[in-house]
Amino acid sequence: MQVNDIIHGFRLLRQEQVKEAASEAFEFQHVKSGARLLYLKNTDDNKVFSISFRTPPTDDTGVPHIIEHSTLCGSRKFPLKEPFVELVKGSLNTFLNAMTYPDKTMYPVASCNDKDFHNLMDVYLDAVFYPSIYDNEEILMQEGWHYEIESPEEPLKYSGVVYNEMKGALSSPEDLLENQVMRELFPDNTYSCESGGNPKAIPNLTYQQFIDFHKKYYSPANSYIYLYGDMDIEEQLAFIDSEYLSHFDIVEVDSAIPLQAAFNEVKQVEDSYPIGEDEPEDSRTFLSYNLVMAQAGDHELISAIGLLEQALLKTPAAPLRKALIDAGLGMDVSSHFETNVLQPYLSITVNGAEADKAGKFRQVLHDTLAELVENGIDRTILEAALNLMEFQLREADFGSYPKGLIYNIMLMTNWLYDKDPLEKLRYEADLQDLRSKLATDYYEQLLKKYFLENNFAVSVVMKPDKTLAARQEAALAEELAAKKAAMSEAEIQAVIENTARLKLRQQTPDSPEALATIPLLKIEDINPEPKHIPLEERQLDGVKVLYTPAETNGIVYLNLYFRADVIPQELVPYAYLFSDIIGLVDTESSTYEDMTNRVNMHTGGITFSLENLTLEGVADSLQPVFKVSAKAFMRKLPELAEIIGELLNETKFDDKKRLLELLQQNRSEFELEMLQSPVQVALARLNSFISKAGAYNEQGELSSYPLLKELTDEFEANAEDFCGKLAQVMRLLFSTSRLTIGVTVQEGDYAAFAEGMKPLLLKLQENVEADRAEAVAYTFQPENQQEGLLSSSQVQYVAKGANLYRLGYELTGAYRVLEMLLKYEYFWIKIRVQGGAYGAMTRFSSDGDMMFVSYRDPNLAETVAVFDGTAEFLRNFEASDREMVKYIIGAISGIDTPLTPRLLGATAQRMYFRGVTYESRQKRRTELLKTTVDDIRALAPAIEACMKENNLCVLGNGTVVKENAGLFSKLTNVLD
C-alpha cells in the first residue's frame, strides 16, 4: 500500500512506524462516507476493533449514555432484544463493552479468535448504524426511563436501567464533586452537561429527542474506526466498506466542541452531598481546587503537567501534598489530571475536611506553589517521578485489559479533536525532552503560569448534608404524585398499558430464527486443553523459589510470600493496617520521603498486602500470607533488593504524627469506598458469614472501621499501644523460614536474579524472633447472618450466598457455565431488564464459596426473591444444543483471558499455593465443555440448599433497608 492509494473505498492518508507501540500505523479515510479509520499493525493476536462517535450532550438527560445502551438492543441484521447479551454468552471475547465519556461514545471489542473477532465487529457495526430504536419505543423505556404503574391505585414511579445506574453513580460524593467541577469549569459548552444523565433530568428525555440524537451523531462522517493487531487489513477494509460504509454518503455533522473562554477570576462554589441521617458530619467536607491547563494536542505541556502532578501530589514525598496534610486541612489529599476532554484540567482535593477551612486551603496551595517557584522544585523528586513514568510507559502492562484497547482510549484524546492520534503513543522524544528540562527552570515556569497565575479555575466546597437524601426522596415522591394527579383516567390507563406492553416484551423470548442470526463458534473451535501456566520449583539459599519464565522486556516481577499464620488473632486487624503503613514511614536509615524517591527512582513500585490463599476443594482452609510485590528493570535489581531489605528489617513506628496522618488517610479512603465500591463491601461482609477465610478477610474490611475510627478519634490515648502492635507484627512476619519467592523473568536473567537476591536473604536471616514464632490456631468461625447496611446510597447492593462444600456438594466445571447462564439469562432478565437494576452476577470460588449479588438495584425484597427462585429456574431449565454451546463458549472466554508476563507469574504462583494442578484444571475444563441441560438442572438442589442457609447482606438506602427490616437479623449504619 502506498499513500493516496484507495483500498476497498479507503484512501490511505499516511503510513508510519510507531516504535513505542511496536506497530506500523495506517491512517485512512473512507472516500464515500467520510469515516476515519486507523489501523495499528503488529504481532499481537489479541485483536481490537472499536467505533467511536463524537457525542456532545446539550442537557442532563443522559441521551448519549442511553443510546449507548440502546444501540445494543437489536439491529437490522440481528433482530433480537439484546444481541449484546447473546454475544457475551457465546463469544471468546477478551473485551466486549461500550463506554460513554463526556463528549464521545466508544464501542470496543477484542478477541484472539479470527472468526469471533469478525462476528463481534459485524454485530457492533450493525448496532450503531442500524439499531432497532427507530421501531421500538420500548427500548428507550427499558434502557432509559419510563413511568411504571400496574394499577390505578398504585403510586407512580420512574424506572429504567440508566436511570437506576445513575442514581447509584451519583450516590458517590466523588462523582457528585466531579459533576459539579465540570459544570463550573465549562459553563458555556457541552462539559457543563452530565453525559451519563442526572436522574432529576433523565425523565425529561422524549422519544423524539432520543431518535434525533442518534440521527445527528451516529453517522460515518462523525465516526472514528480503530483496528489493532495481527490481521489481514485488506480483508477487514473490504468487509467494512461493502457491508456498511458504502451505503452512506458524506454529510456535515456539527459535533465540534467550542472552547470554553478562560475566567477573569477564580470562581468559588459551595454545594452539598447526601449522607445518612445517623452518619457523622464532622470531617466529611471536600475542598477542591481545579484548573484548566491546556488544550488537546498540547502534547508537551500535557506530558509535563502529568509529570508535575506525580511529583507534587501523588507520592508521600510530594511537597504540595505534604504541605496540605501538614496544614491540618483534612484527612487525605487526592488529585486527578483529566485529559479525556478538549481542555484538560487538574483537580486537587482535600478529603475529610471542614468547610471553614476553604480559605486556608487556597492559601496553603498558593504559598506552597509560590515557594516552589521561587526556591525551585527538588530535582530528586522530579527525576523519581520521571523514572516511574518511563517504567510504566515501557512496561505497558494494563492488567487484564487488551493493550490495543488502552492505546485506543489514549489516542482518542487527540483524534477526537482533530489532532494527531499517533502523538499520544509516542513517548521516547517526550522522555528525552522532559529529562533535558530538569537542568532548566522549565518546571518552575509551568507552575508559575499554569498554577499560580491561572484564573481559569474553580474552588469547590462540597459539604455533607444529613437531610438532603430525605429531601430529595420527598421531592421526587411529590413530583410523581403531582404528575399522576395531573393525568386523566385515560392517561393513567395508557401508562398501565405501556408498562404491561414493556413487561410483555421483556418476558417474551426471542424466536429461534432471531437467535440464529447471532454468529456462533463451535465447541470444536475451543482448545480442549487448558493453557499451560509455566512454573518451576527451585531453591535459593534454602528458600523455595517459584519461577515462571516469560519474555518480560528486561523487567523482573517479584513476589515475596511470608506465611502470616504466626500473627495472633487479636493482631490480625493491625496486620491489615500494617500492610497499609509499611513503606510510608521512616526506616532506621531513611526518611519516608527519601524512601519514596528511591522506590520511584529505581523500581516500578512496591506494594504490600495481607491475603488468604485458600485451598481448592476445601471449605474452611486458612492460608494467610503477607505478600510483598515489586517490579524493576533487571539492571536495578541490586537497588530493589536493598530497598526491600531495609523496609522489612528497619521500618520504625515511632513517628506518631505521621502514623496519625496515615490512619486518617486510610479512614478517609474507607469512607469513600462505602459508596465508591459498595459491591465489594457487601460481598466481603457476606463472605464473612460463609467461610473462615471470609471471616479472616473481613478483619481488613468493614469490621475494621470501628478500630480505625477509635484510633483516629482517640489517637493520643492509643498511640503507644498501636505503635507496639505494628512493631510486633513486623517482628513476627519476616523470616526466610516462612518465605517463598515468586519470580517472573526471562530465562537468561534468572542466574543474575538469584545472585541479586542473596543480600536480601542474608538481611532477612537476622530476624531471629520471627524464626522462633509458631503458627496460631485461629478460631474464626463464620456465623449465619442477615445484615442490612444502611447508607445514603439511592440504590441497593443485594448479596446472598453459602459454601457448597460445607453443605456436601462438589464444585464442578458446570458451575462456570451456570455463572454465565445466571448473569446473562435469569438474573439479566429478572433483575436488570425487568427490575431496572444495572446488573447482577454470581461468584463461585474454588474453595466452594457461592455468592449472588445485584448492583445499582432499585429493589431489595424483589431481588432476594429472584435469588431464592434460582433453584426453581434451574429445575425447569430448557435450552437447545445451540444455546448450550453458547453458554459454554461464553464461560470459556472468562477462563482463557490472555495474561501479561506479570499476571502469568502471579497466576502460576496463586495456583501453586491453592493446590490447583494442571490435572484439576483439565478435569474442570472437560466438565465445562461437556455440560448439558441435565447437568445444569442437577445443580438445583445445591443452589436451593445455599439459598436456604439465608446468609444475606444488603448495602443500600437507609429508608429502603428499614422498610424491609423483616428480612434482617440486624441493621448496621456503615459509618457508625
Side-chain angles (χ1 to χ4, degrees):
M1 287 186 286
Q2 301 293 323
V3 172
N4 285 323
D5 283 355
I6 296 178
I7 303 101
H8 302 293
F10 289 88
R11 185 186 302 279
L12 180 61
L13 302 181
R14 65 168 169 163
Q15 177 179 348
E16 295 181 15
Q17 292 291 330
V18 185
K19 181 182 67 174
E20 292 89 338
S23 300
E24 186 175 8
F26 299 82
E27 188 173 0
F28 298 91
Q29 184 157 27
H30 191 256
V31 177
K32 187 172 186 293
S33 70
R36 310 160 185 82
L37 188 147
L38 181 65
Y39 170 49
L40 295 183
K41 176 185 178 182
N42 50 60
T43 59
D44 194 341
D45 67 347
N46 196 1
K47 294 170 282 293
V48 177
F49 161 81
S50 174
I51 182 164
S52 304
F53 300 90
R54 192 155 56 196
T55 52
T58 57
D59 56 37
D60 290 337
T61 60
V63 60
H65 188 190
I66 296 170
I67 284 181
E68 175 230 301
H69 280 241
S70 300
T71 55
L72 299 171
C73 290
S75 65
R76 173 196 61 173
K77 289 168 67 173
F78 309 102
L80 299 83
K81 293 199 297 289
E82 300 194 77
F84 170 78
V85 176
E86 298 305 317
L87 274 179
V88 173
K89 289 178 190 173
S91 165
L92 289 173
N93 72 85
T94 56
F95 188 87
L96 181 68
N97 213 330
M99 297 96 80
T100 301
Y101 288 83
D103 54 14
K104 64 180 175 284
T105 310
M106 299 181 67
Y107 295 86
V109 298
S111 179
C112 297
N113 181 285
D114 289 343
K115 183 179 176 183
D116 188 45
F117 181 71
H118 175 84
N119 295 344
L120 296 171
M121 186 164 61
D122 193 14
V123 173
Y124 264 47
L125 283 167
D126 205 65
V128 298
F129 290 130
Y130 301 103
S132 297
I133 60 174
Y134 290 88
D135 305 313
N136 291 285
E137 191 170 347
E138 290 90 347
I139 293 174
L140 169 61
M141 293 171 63
Q142 175 179 295
E143 297 300 318
W145 78 277
H146 63 276
Y147 292 122
E148 187 162 305
I149 188 172
E150 296 186 5
S151 68
E153 299 77 26
E154 288 183 0
L156 197 66
K157 68 177 183 178
Y158 294 128
S159 190
V161 173
V162 170
Y163 177 79
N164 288 314
E165 177 188 350
M166 295 310 296
K167 283 179 73 175
L170 296 181
S171 292
S172 160
E174 289 179 301
D175 287 340
L176 286 168
L177 176 61
E178 181 185 8
N179 180 285
Q180 184 67 23
V181 165
M182 291 189 70
R183 192 176 299 277
E184 297 296 338
L185 281 177
F186 305 105
D188 305 318
N189 69 16
T190 190
Y191 300 123
S192 65
C193 304
E194 175 52 71
S195 62
N198 188 315
K200 295 177 183 177
I202 289 173
N204 296 328
L205 179 64
T206 68
Y207 180 62
Q208 190 59 52
Q209 291 170 332
F210 174 68
I211 293 300
D212 288 345
F213 193 93
H214 184 273
K215 282 182 180 176
K216 179 174 182 178
Y217 294 119
Y218 278 65
S219 162
N222 190 44
S223 71
Y224 303 79
I225 301 171
Y226 169 84
L227 290 162
Y228 166 95
D230 186 5
M231 66 183 72
D232 183 337
I233 185 59
E234 293 202 26
E235 180 183 314
Q236 307 300 345
L237 295 178
F239 169 73
I240 295 171
D241 171 65
S242 63
E243 288 292 312
Y244 293 100
L245 298 185
S246 63
H247 304 290
F248 295 87
D249 295 318
I250 293 180
V251 295
E252 287 293 326
V253 180
D254 181 14
S255 64
I257 300 165
L259 287 170
Q260 171 66 51
F263 307 151
N264 293 324
E265 58 183 23
V266 177
K267 294 170 69 173
Q268 297 184 27
V269 177
E270 280 201 8
D271 202 357
S272 58
Y273 71 93
I275 61 171
E277 293 179 2
D278 299 319
E279 293 179 23
E281 289 181 310
D282 295 344
S283 302
R284 299 287 297 280
T285 292
F286 294 79
L287 307 176
S288 185
Y289 199 78
N290 309 269
L291 304 109
V292 177
M293 291 188 163
Q295 292 182 27
D298 295 342
H299 190 57
E300 176 187 314
L301 175 60
I302 290 170
S303 297
I305 291 172
L307 178 64
L308 280 172
E309 183 201 12
Q310 173 67 33
L312 301 183
L313 288 156
K314 285 293 190 183
T315 74
L320 186 50
R321 174 187 172 84
K322 272 181 56 59
L324 293 168
I325 292 290
D326 290 345
L329 294 167
M331 292 189 181
D332 198 8
V333 174
S334 61
S335 67
H336 174 63
F337 186 34
E338 178 57 71
T339 59
N340 278 297
V341 289
L342 175 61
Q343 293 165 280
Y345 65 90
L346 177 69
S347 293
I348 304 167
T349 302
V350 174
N351 311 331
E354 298 292 351
D356 60 5
K357 292 186 177 179
K360 184 178 179 182
F361 167 58
R362 294 190 293 271
Q363 190 64 50
V364 172
L365 273 176
H366 180 275
D367 292 350
T368 307
L369 290 167
E371 184 180 346
L372 289 168
V373 169
E374 182 176 351
N375 299 327
I377 307 167
D378 184 343
R379 266 22 190 189
T380 303
I381 295 173
L382 282 174
E383 191 170 351
L386 185 56
N387 281 331
L388 183 62
M389 176 189 288
E390 179 177 1
F391 185 96
Q392 292 168 342
L393 288 168
R394 296 194 188 286
E395 181 187 30
D397 184 340
F398 306 111
S400 60
Y401 292 105
K403 186 181 293 187
L405 169 68
I406 305 303
Y407 286 163
N408 182 202
I409 294 170
M410 290 167 57
L411 61 85
M412 285 302 297
T413 61
N414 258 19
W415 201 16
L416 192 78
Y417 313 109
D418 304 316
K419 308 297 182 182
D420 181 7
L422 301 181
E423 188 177 50
K424 301 301 292 187
L425 303 180
R426 296 191 168 108
Y427 57 78
E428 291 291 359
D430 279 356
L431 291 173
Q432 186 176 349
D433 183 56
L434 291 170
R435 198 171 295 280
S436 69
K437 286 173 176 170
L438 289 172
T440 73
D441 67 347
Y442 172 75
Y443 296 101
E444 286 77 12
Q445 291 306 312
L446 286 186
L447 283 187
K448 183 178 180 183
K449 180 176 181 179
Y450 292 102
F451 288 71
L452 275 177
E453 298 176 352
N454 183 3
N455 287 330
F456 197 170
V458 59
S459 175
V460 179
V461 177
M462 184 77 80
K463 299 184 291 186
D465 187 330
K466 287 186 175 186
T467 65
L468 180 58
R471 296 199 311 271
Q472 289 173 337
E473 289 173 19
L476 177 59
E478 186 177 325
E479 173 191 319
L480 285 165
K483 286 182 181 292
K484 187 182 178 188
M487 291 179 179
S488 66
E489 288 185 11
E491 288 172 326
I492 291 175
Q493 186 59 36
V495 172
I496 293 171
E497 291 172 2
N498 287 339
T499 302
R501 191 174 75 251
L502 175 60
K503 289 187 180 296
L504 178 63
R505 181 179 188 273
Q506 293 169 338
Q507 293 166 4
T508 303
D510 289 307
S511 69
E513 293 77 17
L515 289 168
T517 63
I518 293 291
L520 184 64
L521 301 177
K522 300 175 181 177
I523 293 294
E524 293 74 33
D525 295 324
I526 309 298
N527 188 341
E529 298 177 354
K531 285 183 179 179
H532 180 61
I533 309 290
L535 185 76
E536 301 174 21
E537 288 189 53
R538 298 186 177 184
Q539 290 284 326
L540 178 59
D541 291 352
V543 175
K544 182 180 291 183
V545 177
L546 306 177
Y547 168 54
T548 296
E551 178 51 59
T552 63
N553 199 26
I555 295 172
V556 55
Y557 295 101
L558 175 66
N559 290 315
L560 304 180
Y561 299 90
F562 294 92
R563 286 200 323 276
D565 55 3
V566 292
I567 303 296
Q569 185 157 325
E570 66 274 11
L571 286 186
V572 170
Y574 294 90
Y576 277 105
L577 291 175
F578 174 85
S579 70
D580 293 330
I581 289 171
I582 186 172
L584 302 177
V585 291
D586 295 348
T587 70
E588 293 172 9
S589 305
S590 308
T591 64
Y592 71 88
E593 297 98 333
D594 290 342
M595 177 58 74
T596 297
N597 288 329
R598 284 169 61 197
V599 169
N600 289 342
M601 189 80 73
H602 300 297
T603 83
I606 303 173
T607 61
F608 307 88
S609 59
L610 185 59
E611 301 179 6
N612 234 309
L613 300 174
T614 54
L615 289 170
E616 180 179 51
V618 180
D620 279 317
S621 63
L622 267 182
Q623 288 196 141
V625 296
F626 190 90
K627 181 179 173 184
V628 182
S629 297
K631 53 189 177 181
F633 290 116
M634 270 299 300
R635 66 179 184 274
K636 292 286 190 176
L637 184 62
E639 290 87 349
L640 176 64
E642 182 182 356
I643 289 169
I644 293 176
E646 183 176 328
L647 288 172
L648 301 190
N649 266 43
E650 299 182 24
T651 293
K652 300 190 299 180
F653 301 101
D654 55 1
D655 185 344
K656 294 176 184 176
K657 175 178 176 294
R658 177 61 180 160
L659 287 173
L660 177 58
E661 289 173 358
L662 292 172
L663 286 170
Q664 289 173 334
Q665 290 169 26
N666 200 311
R667 176 176 171 177
S668 176
E669 291 170 2
F670 192 94
E671 290 172 350
L672 291 176
E673 185 186 4
M674 290 300 103
L675 289 175
Q676 201 70 9
S677 304
V679 170
Q680 285 70 31
V681 175
L683 282 174
R685 191 69 156 191
L686 173 67
N687 199 219
S688 71
F689 308 160
I690 292 172
S691 70
K692 288 182 179 180
Y696 183 105
N697 297 338
E698 176 64 8
Q699 301 301 301
E701 298 289 342
L702 187 58
S703 294
S704 70
Y705 183 70
L707 173 62
L708 255 182
K709 193 168 183 294
E710 180 186 0
L711 287 172
T712 50
D713 290 346
E714 303 171 27
F715 185 73
E716 285 302 319
N718 295 293
E720 288 297 331
D721 179 66
F722 178 61
C723 294
K725 285 174 176 173
L726 293 179
Q728 185 182 354
V729 168
M730 191 174 86
R731 288 196 304 273
L732 290 171
L733 273 177
F734 303 125
S735 164
T736 53
S737 63
R738 284 192 310 284
L739 170 64
T740 300
I741 298 172
V743 62
T744 306
V745 74
Q746 292 157 194
E747 180 69 61
D749 287 334
Y750 182 82
F753 162 77
E755 191 62 30
M757 288 298 291
K758 288 182 178 179
L760 171 59
L761 297 182
L762 282 172
K763 198 167 185 67
L764 289 174
Q765 288 171 3
E766 299 170 8
N767 194 342
V768 179
E769 182 177 347
D771 277 332
R772 290 199 298 261
E774 295 183 359
V776 174
Y778 292 113
T779 59
F780 290 107
Q781 289 295 337
E783 295 182 16
N784 183 282
Q785 289 192 51
Q786 304 80 41
E787 185 174 24
L789 302 174
L790 288 73
S791 78
S792 58
S793 172
Q794 298 182 62
V795 287
Q796 281 63 250
Y797 303 84
V798 182
K800 193 169 186 184
N803 186 277
L804 289 163
Y805 290 130
R806 191 181 296 118
L807 295 172
Y809 295 95
E810 290 297 315
L811 192 67
T812 67
Y815 279 95
R816 293 305 296 260
V817 180
L818 182 60
E819 282 185 354
M820 178 64 55
L821 171 62
L822 293 180
K823 182 176 181 180
Y824 290 109
E825 182 68 32
Y826 179 61
F827 290 168
W828 185 275
I829 293 171
K830 293 289 186 181
I831 295 175
R832 179 180 167 115
V833 173
Q834 296 175 10
Y838 187 57
M841 64 181 181
T842 65
R843 180 179 294 177
F844 296 101
S845 59
S846 62
D847 56 5
D849 289 343
M850 185 228 79
M851 294 183 282
F852 297 159
V853 63
S854 70
Y855 46 102
R856 293 181 179 173
D857 189 346
N859 304 308
L860 198 163
E862 298 88 342
T863 298
V864 173
V866 172
F867 290 162
D868 288 343
T870 304
E872 188 62 22
F873 164 75
L874 296 179
R875 288 193 187 93
N876 299 306
F877 177 68
E878 297 282 354
S880 66
D881 290 344
R882 187 179 192 278
E883 290 297 294
M884 284 307 300
V885 168
K886 189 184 298 181
Y887 295 128
I888 289 168
I889 290 172
I892 283 288
S893 73
I895 296 172
D896 287 352
T897 304
L899 299 172
T900 63
R902 174 181 61 84
L903 289 177
L904 184 72
T907 301
Q909 294 154 26
R910 195 169 188 83
M911 287 179 175
Y912 173 86
F913 283 111
R914 302 191 71 173
V916 179
T917 64
Y918 185 85
E919 291 72 24
S920 67
R921 292 170 60 216
Q922 179 67 75
K923 179 177 180 292
R924 293 273 172 83
R925 190 180 186 90
T926 300
E927 291 167 347
L928 191 163
L929 291 172
K930 292 183 177 180
T931 299
T932 65
V933 169
D934 287 341
D935 292 329
I936 295 298
R937 290 176 184 160
L939 302 179
I943 300 302
E944 183 173 52
C946 288
M947 291 298 97
K948 284 184 175 178
E949 287 290 288
N950 200 29
N951 290 298
L952 175 67
C953 180
V954 177
L955 191 159
N957 178 271
T959 301
V960 175
V961 173
K962 288 176 182 176
E963 287 172 352
N964 290 271
L967 292 172
F968 305 106
S969 57
K970 74 174 175 179
L971 301 180
T972 305
N973 292 309
V974 291
L975 294 181
D976 191 357

